[in-house]
């Protein structure tokens, strides 16, 4: 089964600011096949850059596939 994860799950996993939520996010990602939407990736980047003060150059996002013409 594939599970879609939202921005909150990604940020909890990356920031590790709440031990309980981080454990739950990690367990979900290790247990299930996950889908991460482009929107969730972009929102996570925004949160890391604005709320956590990371510079854009330090945040790496995977290349997004493009639709064929």
């Amino acid at each position: 089964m594939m599970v879609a994860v939202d921005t909150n799950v990604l940020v909890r996993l990356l920031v590790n600011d709440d031990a309980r939520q981080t454990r739950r996010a990690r367990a979900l990602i290790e247990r299930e096949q996950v889908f991460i939407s482009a929107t969730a990736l972009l929102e996570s980047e925004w949160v890391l850059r604005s709320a956590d003060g990371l510079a854009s150059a330090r945040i790496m996002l995977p290349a997004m596939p493009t639709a064929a013409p």
Side-chain angles (χ1 to χ4, degrees):
M1 175 171 90
M2 184 175 292
V3 177
V5 296
D6 68 2
T7 304
N8 185 53
V9 173
L10 293 176
V11 171
R12 294 290 78 75
L13 186 63
L14 296 169
V15 174
N16 194 21
D17 61 345
D18 181 308
R20 181 175 172 264
Q21 288 184 6
T22 300
R23 280 193 306 273
R24 292 181 73 186
R26 183 172 292 118
L28 174 68
I29 288 174
E30 289 174 352
R31 178 179 69 240
E32 303 289 344
Q33 184 175 14
V34 298
F35 170 77
I36 303 171
S37 70
T39 302
L41 280 175
L42 293 171
E43 287 176 346
S44 296
E45 184 272 339
W46 182 85
V47 169
L48 293 172
R49 187 171 30 86
S50 61
D52 291 328
L54 291 179
S56 294
R58 295 197 58 211
I59 301 169
M60 296 183 64
L61 296 177
M64 298 301 296
T66 57

